[in-house]
Short mmCIF file of all heavy atoms in Angstrom, two decimals:
data_model
loop_
_atom_site.label_atom_id
_atom_site.label_comp_id
_atom_site.label_asym_id
_atom_site.label_seq_id
_atom_site.Cartn_x
_atom_site.Cartn_y
_atom_site.Cartn_z
N GLY A 18 -13.10 3.12 5.85
CA GLY A 18 -14.05 3.96 6.60
C GLY A 18 -14.91 3.07 7.50
O GLY A 18 -15.31 1.97 7.09
N HIS A 164 -16.19 13.60 -3.47
CA HIS A 164 -16.28 12.62 -4.57
C HIS A 164 -16.65 13.42 -5.81
O HIS A 164 -16.96 14.62 -5.70
CB HIS A 164 -17.29 11.49 -4.23
CG HIS A 164 -18.53 12.00 -3.59
ND1 HIS A 164 -19.51 12.65 -4.31
CD2 HIS A 164 -19.00 11.97 -2.32
CE1 HIS A 164 -20.53 12.98 -3.52
NE2 HIS A 164 -20.23 12.58 -2.29
N TYR A 186 -13.94 11.45 2.86
CA TYR A 186 -14.89 10.42 3.34
C TYR A 186 -16.06 10.30 2.35
O TYR A 186 -16.30 11.18 1.53
CB TYR A 186 -15.32 10.64 4.79
CG TYR A 186 -16.33 11.72 5.11
CD1 TYR A 186 -17.69 11.57 4.81
CD2 TYR A 186 -15.95 12.85 5.78
CE1 TYR A 186 -18.62 12.52 5.16
CE2 TYR A 186 -16.86 13.84 6.15
CZ TYR A 186 -18.19 13.66 5.82
OH TYR A 186 -19.11 14.63 6.20
N SER A 187 -16.74 9.14 2.44
CA SER A 187 -17.75 8.79 1.45
C SER A 187 -17.27 8.97 0.03
O SER A 187 -17.95 9.61 -0.79
CB SER A 187 -19.06 9.57 1.72
OG SER A 187 -19.69 9.05 2.87
N PRO A 188 -16.10 8.44 -0.31
CA PRO A 188 -15.56 8.61 -1.65
C PRO A 188 -16.41 7.88 -2.69
O PRO A 188 -16.27 8.15 -3.88
CB PRO A 188 -14.17 7.98 -1.55
CG PRO A 188 -14.27 6.97 -0.47
CD PRO A 188 -15.23 7.57 0.55
N LEU A 189 -17.28 6.95 -2.23
CA LEU A 189 -18.15 6.24 -3.18
C LEU A 189 -19.50 6.91 -3.30
O LEU A 189 -20.41 6.37 -3.92
CB LEU A 189 -18.37 4.79 -2.70
CG LEU A 189 -17.09 4.00 -2.34
CD1 LEU A 189 -17.45 2.62 -1.81
CD2 LEU A 189 -16.19 3.88 -3.56
N ALA A 190 -19.62 8.11 -2.72
CA ALA A 190 -20.90 8.81 -2.72
C ALA A 190 -22.01 7.87 -2.22
O ALA A 190 -23.12 7.87 -2.75
CB ALA A 190 -21.25 9.39 -4.11
N ARG A 191 -21.63 7.08 -1.20
CA ARG A 191 -22.58 6.11 -0.60
C ARG A 191 -23.20 5.18 -1.64
O ARG A 191 -24.35 4.74 -1.47
CB ARG A 191 -23.70 6.84 0.13
CG ARG A 191 -23.26 7.55 1.36
CD ARG A 191 -23.17 6.57 2.54
NE ARG A 191 -22.83 7.30 3.77
CZ ARG A 191 -23.76 7.82 4.52
NH1 ARG A 191 -25.03 7.67 4.29
NH2 ARG A 191 -23.37 8.50 5.59
N ALA A 192 -22.49 4.96 -2.71
CA ALA A 192 -22.98 4.04 -3.78
C ALA A 192 -24.25 4.56 -4.45
O ALA A 192 -25.00 3.79 -5.06
CB ALA A 192 -23.19 2.63 -3.23
N LEU A 193 -24.50 5.87 -4.35
CA LEU A 193 -25.76 6.41 -4.91
C LEU A 193 -25.69 6.63 -6.40
O LEU A 193 -26.72 6.79 -7.06
CB LEU A 193 -26.09 7.74 -4.21
CG LEU A 193 -26.46 7.66 -2.74
CD1 LEU A 193 -26.61 9.08 -2.13
CD2 LEU A 193 -27.75 6.86 -2.54
N LEU A 195 -23.42 4.83 -8.66
CA LEU A 195 -22.48 3.89 -9.30
C LEU A 195 -22.90 3.53 -10.72
O LEU A 195 -22.09 3.01 -11.49
CB LEU A 195 -22.35 2.62 -8.44
CG LEU A 195 -21.64 2.80 -7.10
CD1 LEU A 195 -21.53 1.46 -6.34
CD2 LEU A 195 -20.27 3.43 -7.27
N THR A 211 -17.24 -4.47 -13.15
CA THR A 211 -18.12 -4.84 -12.06
C THR A 211 -17.93 -3.91 -10.86
O THR A 211 -18.60 -4.08 -9.85
CB THR A 211 -17.85 -6.28 -11.59
OG1 THR A 211 -16.48 -6.40 -11.26
CG2 THR A 211 -18.25 -7.29 -12.63
N ALA A 212 -17.02 -2.99 -10.98
CA ALA A 212 -16.71 -2.19 -9.80
C ALA A 212 -16.46 -0.73 -10.14
O ALA A 212 -15.36 -0.24 -10.05
CB ALA A 212 -15.51 -2.79 -9.05
N GLN A 213 -17.54 0.00 -10.45
CA GLN A 213 -17.38 1.44 -10.69
C GLN A 213 -16.84 2.10 -9.43
O GLN A 213 -16.23 3.16 -9.48
CB GLN A 213 -18.75 2.05 -11.02
CG GLN A 213 -19.25 1.69 -12.37
CD GLN A 213 -20.06 0.41 -12.31
OE1 GLN A 213 -19.81 -0.46 -11.48
NE2 GLN A 213 -21.04 0.26 -13.18
N ALA A 214 -17.05 1.43 -8.28
CA ALA A 214 -16.53 1.98 -7.03
C ALA A 214 -15.03 2.20 -7.11
O ALA A 214 -14.47 3.16 -6.59
CB ALA A 214 -16.85 1.02 -5.88
N LEU A 215 -14.36 1.27 -7.83
CA LEU A 215 -12.91 1.37 -7.96
C LEU A 215 -12.50 2.64 -8.68
O LEU A 215 -11.48 3.25 -8.35
CB LEU A 215 -12.38 0.21 -8.78
CG LEU A 215 -12.14 -1.07 -8.08
CD1 LEU A 215 -11.50 -2.10 -9.00
CD2 LEU A 215 -11.25 -0.83 -6.88
N LEU A 229 -11.52 7.06 1.95
CA LEU A 229 -11.86 6.13 3.03
C LEU A 229 -13.09 5.34 2.63
O LEU A 229 -14.16 5.52 3.24
CB LEU A 229 -12.14 6.93 4.31
CG LEU A 229 -11.05 7.86 4.83
CD1 LEU A 229 -11.59 8.74 5.97
CD2 LEU A 229 -9.81 7.07 5.28
N PRO A 230 -13.03 4.49 1.58
CA PRO A 230 -14.24 3.75 1.24
C PRO A 230 -14.68 2.86 2.37
O PRO A 230 -13.86 2.27 3.06
CB PRO A 230 -13.78 2.90 0.04
CG PRO A 230 -12.30 2.83 0.16
CD PRO A 230 -11.87 4.09 0.80
N LYS A 231 -15.99 2.79 2.55
CA LYS A 231 -16.56 2.04 3.67
C LYS A 231 -17.35 0.83 3.13
O LYS A 231 -18.11 1.01 2.15
CB LYS A 231 -17.45 2.91 4.49
CG LYS A 231 -18.16 2.24 5.63
CD LYS A 231 -19.62 2.02 5.33
CE LYS A 231 -20.22 0.94 6.21
NZ LYS A 231 -21.59 0.64 5.89
N SER A 232 -17.19 -0.32 3.68
CA SER A 232 -18.07 -1.44 3.38
C SER A 232 -18.00 -2.42 4.54
O SER A 232 -17.00 -2.49 5.25
CB SER A 232 -17.65 -2.17 2.09
OG SER A 232 -18.50 -3.29 1.90
N VAL A 233 -19.11 -3.16 4.73
CA VAL A 233 -19.07 -4.22 5.74
C VAL A 233 -18.99 -5.59 5.05
O VAL A 233 -19.09 -6.61 5.71
CB VAL A 233 -20.34 -4.17 6.65
CG1 VAL A 233 -20.34 -2.93 7.51
CG2 VAL A 233 -21.64 -4.24 5.83
N ARG A 234 -18.78 -5.58 3.73
CA ARG A 234 -18.71 -6.88 3.01
C ARG A 234 -17.27 -7.10 2.57
O ARG A 234 -16.68 -6.25 1.85
CB ARG A 234 -19.60 -6.83 1.75
CG ARG A 234 -21.03 -6.52 2.11
CD ARG A 234 -21.86 -6.90 0.92
NE ARG A 234 -23.07 -6.11 0.91
CZ ARG A 234 -24.01 -6.22 -0.05
NH1 ARG A 234 -23.78 -7.05 -1.06
NH2 ARG A 234 -25.11 -5.51 -0.01
N GLU A 236 -15.86 -8.91 0.29
CA GLU A 236 -15.49 -8.89 -1.12
C GLU A 236 -15.38 -7.44 -1.61
O GLU A 236 -14.52 -7.12 -2.45
CB GLU A 236 -16.44 -9.74 -1.99
CG GLU A 236 -17.86 -9.21 -2.19
CD GLU A 236 -18.81 -9.45 -1.02
OE1 GLU A 236 -18.34 -9.95 0.02
OE2 GLU A 236 -20.01 -9.16 -1.18
N ARG A 237 -16.22 -6.55 -1.10
CA ARG A 237 -16.12 -5.14 -1.48
C ARG A 237 -14.88 -4.48 -0.86
O ARG A 237 -14.24 -3.63 -1.49
CB ARG A 237 -17.40 -4.40 -1.08
CG ARG A 237 -18.57 -4.79 -1.94
CD ARG A 237 -19.81 -4.08 -1.46
NE ARG A 237 -20.91 -4.26 -2.37
CZ ARG A 237 -22.13 -3.83 -2.17
NH1 ARG A 237 -22.39 -3.18 -1.03
NH2 ARG A 237 -23.09 -4.03 -3.04
N VAL A 238 -14.63 -4.84 0.38
CA VAL A 238 -13.44 -4.29 1.03
C VAL A 238 -12.20 -4.67 0.22
O VAL A 238 -11.30 -3.86 0.00
CB VAL A 238 -13.34 -4.78 2.50
CG1 VAL A 238 -11.98 -4.47 3.12
CG2 VAL A 238 -14.44 -4.11 3.33
N GLN A 240 -12.14 -5.38 -3.05
CA GLN A 240 -12.24 -4.64 -4.33
C GLN A 240 -11.74 -3.20 -4.18
O GLN A 240 -10.95 -2.71 -4.96
CB GLN A 240 -13.70 -4.54 -4.77
CG GLN A 240 -14.18 -5.57 -5.69
CD GLN A 240 -15.70 -5.37 -5.95
OE1 GLN A 240 -16.34 -4.45 -5.45
NE2 GLN A 240 -16.22 -6.30 -6.73
N ASN A 241 -12.27 -2.54 -3.13
CA ASN A 241 -12.12 -1.09 -3.07
C ASN A 241 -10.68 -0.60 -2.90
O ASN A 241 -10.40 0.57 -3.14
CB ASN A 241 -12.96 -0.53 -1.92
CG ASN A 241 -14.46 -0.71 -2.17
OD1 ASN A 241 -14.87 -0.98 -3.31
ND2 ASN A 241 -15.24 -0.56 -1.16
N THR A 266 -24.08 13.44 0.73
CA THR A 266 -24.74 12.21 1.19
C THR A 266 -24.84 12.24 2.72
O THR A 266 -25.63 11.50 3.30
CB THR A 266 -23.99 10.94 0.76
OG1 THR A 266 -22.75 10.85 1.50
CG2 THR A 266 -23.71 10.92 -0.72
P1 LIG B 1 -21.88 -2.12 2.16
O1 LIG B 1 -21.27 -1.61 3.44
O2 LIG B 1 -23.13 -2.90 2.35
O3 LIG B 1 -20.86 -2.79 1.28
P2 LIG B 1 -18.99 5.52 1.07
O4 LIG B 1 -17.67 4.87 1.28
O5 LIG B 1 -19.01 6.50 -0.03
O6 LIG B 1 -19.58 6.10 2.34
O7 LIG B 1 -20.01 4.38 0.59
C1 LIG B 1 -20.39 3.32 1.43
C2 LIG B 1 -21.59 2.61 0.81
O8 LIG B 1 -21.18 2.01 -0.44
C3 LIG B 1 -22.09 1.52 1.67
O9 LIG B 1 -23.51 1.54 1.56
C4 LIG B 1 -21.48 0.25 1.05
O10 LIG B 1 -22.36 -0.81 1.30
C5 LIG B 1 -21.38 0.61 -0.39
N1 LIG B 1 -20.24 -0.02 -1.08
C6 LIG B 1 -18.99 -0.13 -0.61
N2 LIG B 1 -18.15 -0.70 -1.51
C7 LIG B 1 -18.91 -0.94 -2.62
C8 LIG B 1 -18.62 -1.54 -3.87
N3 LIG B 1 -17.39 -1.97 -4.18
N4 LIG B 1 -19.65 -1.67 -4.75
C9 LIG B 1 -20.89 -1.25 -4.43
N5 LIG B 1 -21.21 -0.66 -3.27
C10 LIG B 1 -20.23 -0.53 -2.35
#
Side-chain angles (χ1 to χ4, degrees):
H164 43 73
Y186 76 74
S187 287
L189 309 177
R191 291 279 184 88
L193 294 174
L195 292 182
T211 55
Q213 289 88 329
L215 277 186
L229 305 170
K231 177 254 160 184
S232 177
V233 291
R234 303 197 206 178
E236 71 280 7
R237 289 178 171 174
V238 168
Q240 267 176 1
N241 293 345
T266 69

